[in-house]
Amino acid sequence: MEPWEEDGPEVVKRFMYVNRKAPYGTIYALECLEVVLIAAAFDQDVSVVFADDGVFQIKKNQDTTAIGMKNFSNTYRALDDYDVEKIYVEQESLDARGLTADDLIIPVEVLNAESLSEIMAQQDVVISS
Amino acid sequence: MEPWEEDGPEVVKRFMYVNRKAPYGTIYALECLEVVLIAAAFDQDVSVVFADDGVFQIKKNQDTTAIGMKNFSNTYRALDDYDVEKIYVEQESLDARGLTADDLIIPVEVLNAESLSEIMAQQDVVISS
Amino acid sequence: MTTMLHLVNKSPFERNNLDSCLRLAKSGSAVLLLEDGVFAAMNNAAYADAVKGRMGDLKFYVLGPDVSARGLDDTPLIDGINVVDYGGFVDLVAEHDVAQSWL
Amino acid sequence: MTTMLHLVNKSPFERNNLDSCLRLAKSGSAVLLLEDGVFAAMNNAAYADAVKGRMGDLKFYVLGPDVSARGLDDTPLIDGINVVDYGGFVDLVAEHDVAQSWL
Amino acid sequence: MKIGILVNEGPFTHQASDSAYRFAEAAIAKGHEVARVFFYNDGVNNSNKLSEPQSDDRNLVALWAALGKEHGIDLVVCIAAALRRGIKEEVLKDGFRISGLGQLVEAGIENDRLVVFGD
Amino acid sequence: MKIGILVNEGPFTHQASDSAYRFAEAAIAKGHEVARVFFYNDGVNNSNKLSEPQSDDRNLVALWAALGKEHGIDLVVCIAAALRRGIKEEVLKDGFRISGLGQLVEAGIENDRLVVFGD
């Protein structure tokens, strides 16, 4: 029996939220962030991944004035206040886009694909959007 | 002044409908076909293009029984009855998918990218979905 | 270590979902191709080599109902890819600890 | 022969829209990158070479509001791509005989 | 110049409706005529008057309706696409009307340009 | 086994809702328990009772409601996603309920598996 199959408040599962889409072009980035902020209240083990175009979600200097949409990039800074501290970015995704960790609005752990795949394989629930 | 800027019933524009998406995975194939069937009644010059995954829209032997969706592939055969006779398929798209004109449910004109781009550049209205 | 089932529902010709899945799926995982993802199972298509390159360390499955819907019952699939129906999809989900959708 | 404006609104990293546009756009056409399509204008990104390869015979434009929204005002764009706003987008549509969206 | 617009996606999920709206505004500001916007595919959802975004977010249904009213734009929702998706008169925002696909073809015929926004 | 389902797209435009429905049916037929289906993003549109597909097409709203009723599935529509998109009690199909995102996290905690269907 796995630990999370026991009843009781001590059940802790590892939840991973995987972001592969750019912000603004679609709403998935924003609505996934809304899930993560709620999830943080559940005392589970939460991690957030940014890979592929998902890395643009936390690109610095977003200015949405001229497209008339809400700039929600600062909300990622709140993840730390919500005790969401496991934030992973795939190195290969940054490289392909000519970006580095310095371009990102929050401190993250940059991992290569192989290391990231190890962490993905340790999750209990993976939610992607 | 271009010919279609004159008033009167003799105004004929060249309309091209470009299909780049596979059927069933999304509704765009079906809803584009619905437009083409309506458009045929307007006495305009209508052409239909299948490129990229759009070529799967007219793949033979579609059987949707097990996915519970309506198989609309036979409706493409009606294009001829509606006098929609300019049906183009891009050679490169077939090749990449290991398909040939024999795999298609209707007779089409297979063109390479260069020839297709010439025809695209002669249209007045291009509608893609 | 948990065992993982990766779900890929997009065409490899149109999007990068399968590329990312193949880059990040650990050896020993399973991959189920469904919806427009089934095009990755076509043996004579340009994408086949990418799948064949991982046949040694990943197990590949394809959803039969989506294969049939797209008219591919007459088209050769890559050798060694197992065709399953929705019941088989359910079994795969049950047999692996986690299902990850590559959206 | 009409003059064409091609609109590409999808990321070249995620989808094949720009690939298809570049394959099928006739020499002398214009291409406007908008929404997630603006990523194709990044000079230091892996996709830049595909765009640079057509700079000689296509004119490229990128929608500034979408560049700014995605935080790319601090990121080098490919030399020779013109940045326009929505008014410039309208002008491009008016100046070319046909606008073709690569959806 | 007369410019027609086709919107193929609903509000919020894709940027298509936002882009189309900004484009329409700019076209009008430049002195062009936007006589008709046709809403197809999930684009029909742009006419749902029940839409209630957060107070600090843009309300695309209201924006389209207001732009249409101010500039006399014919905002047409495709009936076939709308029926499937549950957009009917009872939820239709004032200023939109439900009609057939022929209105899209007409927009292609009668306008100097037709610009398509989608996914 | 207890299996939760997340549906991120509306009916018709993407196959996600169809695939999720066929999967849910098959899971139940195999003796598994599908206690909750959570509808997020455009998935909230699966609960719009005004949806009226052509008579020879499947009606996903009705199919979900019937499956839910027959097997006691909790069909939960995300309130934040629904408000934006104009899905409210007045158009909500019987058998669905509107609630918060916490219900999705709960589904992840309480089920042995969570399967996501989207675009």
Side-chain angles (χ1 to χ4, degrees):
Chain A
M1 189 155 94
E2 304 285 350
W4 60 83
E5 290 178 300
E6 301 170 47
D7 287 319
E10 74 284 357
V11 176
V12 172
K13 280 190 174 183
R14 289 154 294 184
F15 277 72
M16 175 175 274
Y17 296 87
V18 179
N19 293 282
R20 295 184 53 255
K21 290 172 184 155
Y24 310 116
T26 54
I27 202 174
Y28 302 104
L30 170 62
E31 292 195 329
C32 183
L33 180 57
E34 291 179 350
V35 178
V36 172
L37 295 176
I38 297 288
F42 276 77
D43 290 325
Q44 304 293 304
D45 180 328
V46 172
S47 59
V48 181
V49 171
F50 298 96
D52 294 310
D53 283 345
V55 302
F56 288 116
Q57 295 182 20
I58 49 174
K59 174 75 181 68
K60 276 181 186 165
N61 295 329
Q62 296 176 27
D63 177 357
T64 60
T65 317
I67 63 167
M69 294 168 76
K70 189 165 69 171
N71 177 353
F72 57 94
S73 63
N74 281 317
T75 310
Y76 291 102
R77 297 190 205 268
L79 289 175
D80 191 51
D81 305 329
Y82 283 76
D83 295 322
V84 176
E85 287 158 355
K86 296 175 182 169
I87 301 178
Y88 306 114
V89 171
E90 193 206 26
Q91 180 76 58
E92 286 80 350
S93 298
L94 287 176
D95 291 349
R97 290 158 186 79
L99 301 175
T100 70
D102 286 344
D103 290 306
L104 307 180
I105 201 168
I106 47 171
V108 300
E109 188 171 347
V110 178
L111 298 171
N112 64 21
E114 195 184 339
S115 306
L116 181 57
S117 72
E118 292 288 340
I119 294 175
M120 279 186 169
Q122 291 162 12
Q123 303 302 313
D124 298 309
V125 180
V126 180
I127 293 180
S128 51
S129 66
Chain B
M1 187 156 92
E2 303 287 349
W4 57 85
E5 290 177 302
E6 301 171 44
D7 287 320
E10 74 285 357
V11 176
V12 172
K13 279 191 176 184
R14 290 154 294 185
F15 277 72
M16 175 174 274
Y17 296 87
V18 180
N19 293 281
R20 295 184 54 255
K21 290 173 185 157
Y24 310 117
T26 55
I27 202 173
Y28 302 104
L30 170 62
E31 293 195 328
C32 183
L33 180 57
E34 290 178 350
V35 178
V36 172
L37 294 177
I38 297 288
F42 276 77
D43 289 326
Q44 304 293 305
D45 180 328
V46 172
S47 58
V48 181
V49 171
F50 298 95
D52 294 309
D53 283 345
V55 302
F56 289 116
Q57 296 182 19
I58 50 173
K59 174 74 182 68
K60 275 181 186 162
N61 295 329
Q62 298 176 25
D63 177 358
T64 59
T65 318
I67 63 167
M69 294 168 76
K70 189 164 70 172
N71 177 354
F72 57 94
S73 63
N74 281 318
T75 309
Y76 292 102
R77 297 189 204 268
L79 289 175
D80 191 52
D81 304 330
Y82 284 76
D83 294 322
V84 176
E85 286 157 355
K86 296 176 182 170
I87 302 179
Y88 306 113
V89 171
E90 193 206 26
Q91 180 76 58
E92 286 80 349
S93 299
L94 288 177
D95 291 349
R97 288 156 187 80
L99 301 175
T100 70
D102 287 342
D103 290 306
L104 307 180
I105 202 167
I106 47 171
V108 300
E109 188 170 348
V110 178
L111 299 171
N112 64 21
E114 196 183 338
S115 307
L116 180 57
S117 73
E118 292 289 341
I119 294 176
M120 278 185 169
Q122 291 162 11
Q123 303 302 313
D124 299 309
V125 181
V126 180
I127 293 181
S128 52
S129 66
Chain C
M1 189 64 60
T2 53
T3 61
M4 297 193 73
L5 172 67
H6 298 278
L7 303 175
V8 177
N9 74 332
K10 294 298 163 195
S11 165
F13 301 108
E14 186 195 18
R15 304 208 198 180
N16 67 350
N17 307 57
L18 183 56
D19 290 330
S20 295
C21 172
L22 295 182
R23 193 174 73 239
L24 288 164
K26 261 185 77 73
S27 189
S29 303
V31 178
L32 172 61
L33 306 167
L34 72 159
E35 299 179 1
D36 290 347
V38 303
F39 299 134
M42 296 172 73
N43 189 61
N44 298 337
Y47 202 86
D49 286 345
V51 171
K52 287 176 184 170
R54 294 298 302 274
M55 292 288 287
D57 73 315
L58 297 176
K59 289 204 74 168
F60 285 90
Y61 301 86
V62 64
L63 196 61
D66 281 321
V67 170
S68 302
R70 288 157 183 80
L72 303 184
D73 283 339
D74 63 7
T75 305
L77 302 185
I78 295 170
D79 237 31
I81 296 191
N82 300 290
V83 181
V84 298
D85 60 8
Y86 288 104
F89 179 3
V90 171
D91 291 342
L92 286 170
V93 166
E95 289 160 11
H96 295 82
D97 296 315
V98 184
Q100 173 167 2
S101 294
W102 288 85
L103 305 182
Chain D
M1 189 66 56
T2 53
T3 61
M4 297 193 74
L5 172 66
H6 298 277
L7 303 175
V8 177
N9 74 333
K10 294 299 162 192
S11 166
F13 301 108
E14 187 196 17
R15 304 207 198 179
N16 67 348
N17 307 57
L18 183 56
D19 290 329
S20 295
C21 171
L22 296 183
R23 193 174 72 241
L24 288 164
K26 263 186 75 75
S27 189
S29 303
V31 178
L32 171 62
L33 306 167
L34 72 158
E35 299 180 0
D36 289 347
V38 302
F39 299 134
M42 296 172 73
N43 188 61
N44 299 334
Y47 203 88
D49 285 345
V51 172
K52 287 177 186 171
R54 294 298 302 274
M55 293 286 290
D57 73 315
L58 297 176
K59 289 203 73 169
F60 285 90
Y61 301 85
V62 64
L63 195 62
D66 282 322
V67 170
S68 302
R70 287 157 184 80
L72 302 184
D73 283 339
D74 63 7
T75 305
L77 302 186
I78 295 169
D79 237 32
I81 296 191
N82 299 291
V83 181
V84 298
D85 60 9
Y86 288 104
F89 180 2
V90 171
D91 291 342
L92 286 171
V93 166
E95 290 160 10
H96 295 82
D97 296 314
V98 184
Q100 173 167 2
S101 294
W102 288 86
L103 305 183
Chain E
M1 186 170 281
K2 292 179 66 175
I3 302 179
I5 293 175
L6 171 59
V7 179
N8 287 340
E9 298 297 330
F12 307 112
T13 300
H14 298 87
Q15 200 183 345
S17 177
D18 288 281
S19 297
Y21 177 80
R22 301 291 153 203
F23 176 84
E25 261 193 334
I28 292 165
K30 289 255 174 190
H32 297 294
E33 182 190 354
V34 177
R36 179 174 295 163
V37 180
F38 193 87
F39 297 91
Y40 195 44
N41 303 129
D42 270 3
V44 300
N45 292 320
N46 285 289
S47 69
N48 184 343
K49 71 179 174 191
L50 300 179
S51 172
E52 189 179 321
Q54 288 180 301
S55 55
D56 58 348
D57 199 0
R58 81 282 189 207
N59 183 329
L60 280 160
V61 178
L63 286 170
W64 278 119
L67 193 74
K69 189 173 178 190
E70 190 177 345
H71 301 284
I73 306 171
D74 189 19
L75 304 173
V76 183
V77 176
C78 171
I79 186 163
L83 270 178
R84 263 185 201 118
R85 293 170 179 82
I87 299 297
K88 294 181 173 169
E89 290 295 343
E90 52 256 61
V91 295
L92 195 73
K93 178 80 172 175
D94 272 359
F96 291 84
R97 69 184 178 95
I98 297 178
S99 186
L101 276 169
Q103 305 283 307
L104 168 60
V105 180
E106 256 186 44
I109 295 171
E110 292 171 5
N111 285 289
D112 302 303
R113 302 285 183 276
L114 181 70
V115 186
V116 185
F117 294 86
D119 178 37
Chain F
M1 187 172 276
K2 293 179 65 175
I3 302 178
I5 293 175
L6 171 59
V7 179
N8 287 341
E9 298 298 330
F12 307 112
T13 301
H14 298 87
Q15 199 183 345
S17 177
D18 288 280
S19 296
Y21 177 80
R22 301 290 154 203
F23 175 83
E25 261 192 334
I28 292 165
K30 289 256 175 190
H32 298 294
E33 183 190 353
V34 177
R36 178 174 295 161
V37 180
F38 193 87
F39 296 91
Y40 195 45
N41 304 130
D42 271 3
V44 301
N45 292 321
N46 285 288
S47 69
N48 184 342
K49 70 179 175 192
L50 300 179
S51 171
E52 189 179 321
Q54 287 180 300
S55 55
D56 58 346
D57 199 359
R58 81 282 187 208
N59 183 328
L60 281 160
V61 178
L63 285 170
W64 277 117
L67 193 74
K69 189 174 177 191
E70 189 177 345
H71 300 285
I73 306 171
D74 189 19
L75 303 173
V76 183
V77 175
C78 171
I79 187 163
L83 270 177
R84 263 185 199 117
R85 293 170 179 84
I87 299 297
K88 293 181 174 170
E89 290 295 342
E90 50 258 62
V91 295
L92 195 72
K93 178 81 172 173
D94 272 358
F96 290 84
R97 69 184 178 95
I98 296 177
S99 186
L101 276 170
Q103 305 283 307
L104 168 59
V105 181
E106 255 186 43
I109 295 172
E110 290 171 6
N111 285 287
D112 301 303
R113 302 286 182 276
L114 182 71
V115 186
V116 185
F117 294 87
D119 178 36

